[in-house]
Amino acid sequence: MEKLLLVEDDLALGEGVRLALQTEGRPVTLCRTLAQARQTLAAEGPFALAILDVNLPDGSGLTFLEEVRGRLPVLLLTANDLETDIVAGLELGAEDYITKPFSLAVLRARVNAQLRRSGGGAGQVVEVGDFTFDFARMEYRKAGRPIALSKTEQKLLKLLVQNRGTTLTRADLVDRVWTDGAAYVDENALSVTVKRLRDKLEDTPSKPKYLKTVYGVGYTWAVKG
């Protein structure tokens, strides 16, 4: 599951951002200080992405950025007149930045783009039930036997498995699977891809144990094993 870490001392802003990002189906943990962020990362990690304010009550977010560099992708939130923070943050390894005040829609788009680039930030090898999915090597097995998947099927599977137990909407899946710049994708393409994936993975595709439909909403990878 793609968990997000939000470090923002302004409670009203932080809660607004948290609620906005959770509409994408990802849990968001809000911390208001660097100390809380460090404790949360140690206790609840790994996270897929950190959204990090630069100016915090107990220090600079850039210090935290240095500490997690190479372990956790970071998107910086900076005051719109602090160009030096932007430059310093990018040089220290931040993947992206967004300046305050900002649109929640733009923030969601930046977060989604970063998660697509980083592959969600979750482990690349997942074992669940009889399945072993190695997303880095693009090798997929059931009970030790290889499964051949198309690129679209692989992308859909990765999203569902890394968010297992969470329902992803049809609109979100279409947006995140078909990222090749197509102006319009018929949602029927998603239904067809789901059916093909079930045919390859499920023992009884008509009664799936794993790739389940949540009627009127979307799909979920049920937590099994």
Short mmCIF file of all heavy atoms in Angstrom, two decimals, residues 3 9 16-18 26 28 34 39 46 57 60 78 95 104 117-118 121 133 135 143 155 166 175 184 191 204 206 221:
data_model
loop_
_atom_site.label_atom_id
_atom_site.label_comp_id
_atom_site.label_asym_id
_atom_site.label_seq_id
_atom_site.Cartn_x
_atom_site.Cartn_y
_atom_site.Cartn_z
N LYS A 3 1.81 4.35 1.25
CA LYS A 3 1.60 5.26 2.37
C LYS A 3 2.38 6.55 2.14
O LYS A 3 3.53 6.51 1.68
CB LYS A 3 2.06 4.61 3.68
CG LYS A 3 1.34 3.33 4.05
CD LYS A 3 1.70 2.88 5.44
CE LYS A 3 3.20 2.61 5.57
NZ LYS A 3 3.57 2.14 6.92
N ASP A 9 3.44 21.92 9.75
CA ASP A 9 3.09 22.39 11.09
C ASP A 9 1.77 23.14 11.15
O ASP A 9 1.15 23.25 12.21
CB ASP A 9 4.21 23.26 11.67
CG ASP A 9 4.41 24.55 10.86
OD1 ASP A 9 4.51 24.45 9.63
OD2 ASP A 9 4.45 25.61 11.47
N GLY A 16 -6.18 19.63 5.51
CA GLY A 16 -6.75 19.78 4.17
C GLY A 16 -5.99 18.97 3.14
O GLY A 16 -6.59 18.30 2.29
N VAL A 17 -4.66 19.03 3.21
CA VAL A 17 -3.83 18.26 2.29
C VAL A 17 -4.03 16.76 2.51
O VAL A 17 -4.16 15.98 1.56
CB VAL A 17 -2.35 18.64 2.45
CG1 VAL A 17 -1.45 17.67 1.66
CG2 VAL A 17 -2.11 20.07 1.98
N ARG A 18 -4.06 16.36 3.78
CA ARG A 18 -4.23 14.94 4.10
C ARG A 18 -5.53 14.40 3.51
O ARG A 18 -5.56 13.34 2.88
CB ARG A 18 -4.20 14.73 5.61
CG ARG A 18 -4.27 13.26 6.04
CD ARG A 18 -4.23 13.14 7.56
NE ARG A 18 -5.42 13.70 8.16
CZ ARG A 18 -6.58 13.06 8.26
NH1 ARG A 18 -6.70 11.83 7.78
NH2 ARG A 18 -7.62 13.64 8.82
N ARG A 26 -4.90 6.40 -0.75
CA ARG A 26 -3.64 6.13 -0.05
C ARG A 26 -3.71 6.70 1.36
O ARG A 26 -4.13 7.83 1.56
CB ARG A 26 -2.46 6.78 -0.77
CG ARG A 26 -2.37 6.44 -2.24
CD ARG A 26 -1.16 7.13 -2.86
NE ARG A 26 -1.13 6.93 -4.29
CZ ARG A 26 -1.54 7.82 -5.18
NH1 ARG A 26 -2.00 9.00 -4.78
NH2 ARG A 26 -1.50 7.57 -6.47
N VAL A 28 -2.49 8.63 4.57
CA VAL A 28 -1.56 9.75 4.77
C VAL A 28 -1.39 9.98 6.26
O VAL A 28 -2.38 10.18 6.98
CB VAL A 28 -2.09 11.04 4.10
CG1 VAL A 28 -1.10 12.19 4.31
CG2 VAL A 28 -2.35 10.82 2.62
N LEU A 34 9.57 17.86 13.06
CA LEU A 34 10.59 16.93 12.59
C LEU A 34 10.70 15.74 13.54
O LEU A 34 10.90 14.60 13.10
CB LEU A 34 11.94 17.63 12.49
CG LEU A 34 12.07 18.70 11.39
CD1 LEU A 34 13.43 19.37 11.48
CD2 LEU A 34 11.87 18.08 10.02
N GLN A 39 10.05 9.89 14.39
CA GLN A 39 9.44 8.79 15.15
C GLN A 39 8.51 7.97 14.27
O GLN A 39 8.50 6.73 14.31
CB GLN A 39 8.69 9.36 16.35
CG GLN A 39 9.58 9.97 17.42
CD GLN A 39 8.79 10.75 18.45
OE1 GLN A 39 7.56 10.83 18.41
NE2 GLN A 39 9.50 11.35 19.42
N PRO A 46 8.16 1.40 5.69
CA PRO A 46 8.53 2.45 4.74
C PRO A 46 7.32 3.21 4.18
O PRO A 46 6.22 2.68 4.16
CB PRO A 46 9.23 1.68 3.62
CG PRO A 46 8.54 0.35 3.64
CD PRO A 46 8.23 0.06 5.08
N PRO A 57 8.65 23.95 13.23
CA PRO A 57 8.93 24.53 14.56
C PRO A 57 10.25 24.10 15.18
O PRO A 57 10.87 24.87 15.91
CB PRO A 57 7.74 24.03 15.41
CG PRO A 57 6.67 23.72 14.43
CD PRO A 57 7.36 23.24 13.19
N SER A 60 14.73 22.85 10.22
CA SER A 60 14.51 22.95 8.78
C SER A 60 14.19 21.59 8.20
O SER A 60 14.84 20.58 8.51
CB SER A 60 15.75 23.52 8.09
OG SER A 60 15.63 23.41 6.68
N THR A 78 7.33 24.82 -0.09
CA THR A 78 8.14 25.99 0.26
C THR A 78 7.33 27.27 0.12
O THR A 78 6.37 27.34 -0.64
CB THR A 78 9.39 26.10 -0.65
OG1 THR A 78 8.97 26.50 -1.95
CG2 THR A 78 10.14 24.80 -0.74
N GLU A 95 12.87 15.32 -5.02
CA GLU A 95 12.40 14.97 -6.35
C GLU A 95 11.63 16.11 -7.01
O GLU A 95 11.62 16.25 -8.23
CB GLU A 95 11.50 13.73 -6.29
CG GLU A 95 12.22 12.40 -6.36
CD GLU A 95 13.11 12.15 -5.14
OE1 GLU A 95 12.74 12.57 -4.02
OE2 GLU A 95 14.16 11.53 -5.31
N LEU A 104 -4.72 22.28 -4.42
CA LEU A 104 -4.72 20.88 -4.02
C LEU A 104 -4.74 19.95 -5.23
O LEU A 104 -4.14 18.88 -5.21
CB LEU A 104 -5.92 20.59 -3.11
CG LEU A 104 -5.85 21.21 -1.72
CD1 LEU A 104 -7.14 20.94 -0.96
CD2 LEU A 104 -4.65 20.69 -0.93
N ARG A 117 6.72 7.71 -11.29
CA ARG A 117 8.16 7.65 -11.62
C ARG A 117 8.90 6.69 -10.70
O ARG A 117 9.83 6.01 -11.12
CB ARG A 117 8.78 9.04 -11.54
CG ARG A 117 8.39 9.96 -12.67
CD ARG A 117 9.29 11.18 -12.72
NE ARG A 117 9.13 12.04 -11.57
CZ ARG A 117 8.27 13.04 -11.48
NH1 ARG A 117 7.46 13.30 -12.50
NH2 ARG A 117 8.20 13.78 -10.40
N SER A 118 8.51 6.66 -9.44
CA SER A 118 9.25 5.86 -8.46
C SER A 118 8.70 4.46 -8.32
O SER A 118 9.18 3.68 -7.50
CB SER A 118 9.23 6.55 -7.09
OG SER A 118 7.90 6.63 -6.59
N GLY A 121 7.22 3.32 -4.75
CA GLY A 121 8.05 3.34 -3.56
C GLY A 121 8.01 2.07 -2.74
O GLY A 121 8.71 1.93 -1.77
N PHE A 133 5.64 -11.93 -7.14
CA PHE A 133 5.68 -10.89 -8.16
C PHE A 133 6.96 -10.08 -7.98
O PHE A 133 7.15 -9.42 -6.97
CB PHE A 133 4.48 -9.95 -8.03
CG PHE A 133 3.14 -10.63 -8.13
CD1 PHE A 133 2.13 -10.34 -7.22
CD2 PHE A 133 2.88 -11.56 -9.14
CE1 PHE A 133 0.90 -10.95 -7.31
CE2 PHE A 133 1.64 -12.18 -9.24
CZ PHE A 133 0.65 -11.88 -8.32
N PHE A 135 8.49 -7.10 -9.51
CA PHE A 135 8.15 -6.01 -10.42
C PHE A 135 9.39 -5.39 -11.06
O PHE A 135 9.31 -4.86 -12.16
CB PHE A 135 7.34 -4.95 -9.68
CG PHE A 135 5.99 -5.44 -9.24
CD1 PHE A 135 5.71 -5.67 -7.91
CD2 PHE A 135 5.00 -5.69 -10.17
CE1 PHE A 135 4.47 -6.14 -7.50
CE2 PHE A 135 3.75 -6.16 -9.78
CZ PHE A 135 3.48 -6.39 -8.44
N ALA A 143 2.74 -20.51 -7.77
CA ALA A 143 3.18 -21.84 -7.36
C ALA A 143 4.44 -22.26 -8.12
O ALA A 143 4.61 -23.42 -8.50
CB ALA A 143 2.07 -22.87 -7.55
N LYS A 155 1.26 -3.25 -15.18
CA LYS A 155 1.01 -1.97 -14.50
C LYS A 155 -0.22 -2.04 -13.61
O LYS A 155 -0.22 -1.55 -12.48
CB LYS A 155 0.88 -0.85 -15.53
CG LYS A 155 2.17 -0.53 -16.26
CD LYS A 155 1.96 0.39 -17.44
CE LYS A 155 1.69 1.80 -17.03
NZ LYS A 155 1.63 2.71 -18.20
N THR A 166 -7.07 -2.08 -0.36
CA THR A 166 -7.67 -0.77 -0.63
C THR A 166 -8.37 -0.81 -1.99
O THR A 166 -7.83 -1.35 -2.94
CB THR A 166 -6.58 0.33 -0.64
OG1 THR A 166 -5.96 0.39 0.64
CG2 THR A 166 -7.18 1.68 -0.97
N ASP A 175 -6.41 6.39 -15.15
CA ASP A 175 -5.47 7.51 -15.18
C ASP A 175 -4.04 7.04 -14.94
O ASP A 175 -3.10 7.57 -15.54
CB ASP A 175 -5.88 8.54 -14.13
CG ASP A 175 -4.93 9.72 -14.08
OD1 ASP A 175 -4.76 10.39 -15.12
OD2 ASP A 175 -4.35 9.99 -13.00
N TYR A 184 -7.79 10.04 -24.69
CA TYR A 184 -8.99 9.44 -24.13
C TYR A 184 -8.83 7.93 -24.14
O TYR A 184 -8.40 7.35 -25.13
CB TYR A 184 -10.22 9.84 -24.93
CG TYR A 184 -11.49 9.12 -24.49
CD1 TYR A 184 -12.14 9.50 -23.31
CD2 TYR A 184 -11.99 8.07 -25.23
CE1 TYR A 184 -13.28 8.83 -22.90
CE2 TYR A 184 -13.14 7.40 -24.83
CZ TYR A 184 -13.78 7.79 -23.66
OH TYR A 184 -14.89 7.13 -23.25
N SER A 191 -11.87 -2.89 -18.07
CA SER A 191 -12.62 -4.13 -17.85
C SER A 191 -11.98 -5.30 -18.58
O SER A 191 -11.85 -6.41 -18.03
CB SER A 191 -14.07 -3.96 -18.32
OG SER A 191 -14.71 -2.91 -17.61
N THR A 204 -10.34 -19.79 -10.40
CA THR A 204 -11.70 -19.71 -10.93
C THR A 204 -11.98 -18.25 -11.24
O THR A 204 -12.47 -17.50 -10.38
CB THR A 204 -12.73 -20.25 -9.93
OG1 THR A 204 -12.33 -21.55 -9.48
CG2 THR A 204 -14.12 -20.34 -10.56
N SER A 206 -14.24 -16.61 -12.66
CA SER A 206 -15.60 -16.10 -12.42
C SER A 206 -15.90 -15.87 -10.95
O SER A 206 -16.86 -15.18 -10.60
CB SER A 206 -16.63 -17.08 -13.01
OG SER A 206 -16.52 -18.35 -12.38
N TRP A 221 -7.29 -5.65 -4.65
CA TRP A 221 -6.60 -6.92 -4.47
C TRP A 221 -6.85 -7.32 -3.03
O TRP A 221 -6.32 -6.70 -2.11
CB TRP A 221 -5.11 -6.79 -4.76
CG TRP A 221 -4.40 -8.11 -4.67
CD1 TRP A 221 -3.91 -8.72 -3.56
CD2 TRP A 221 -4.10 -8.99 -5.75
NE1 TRP A 221 -3.35 -9.92 -3.86
CE2 TRP A 221 -3.44 -10.12 -5.21
CE3 TRP A 221 -4.33 -8.95 -7.12
CZ2 TRP A 221 -3.00 -11.19 -5.98
CZ3 TRP A 221 -3.89 -10.02 -7.90
CH2 TRP A 221 -3.23 -11.12 -7.34
#
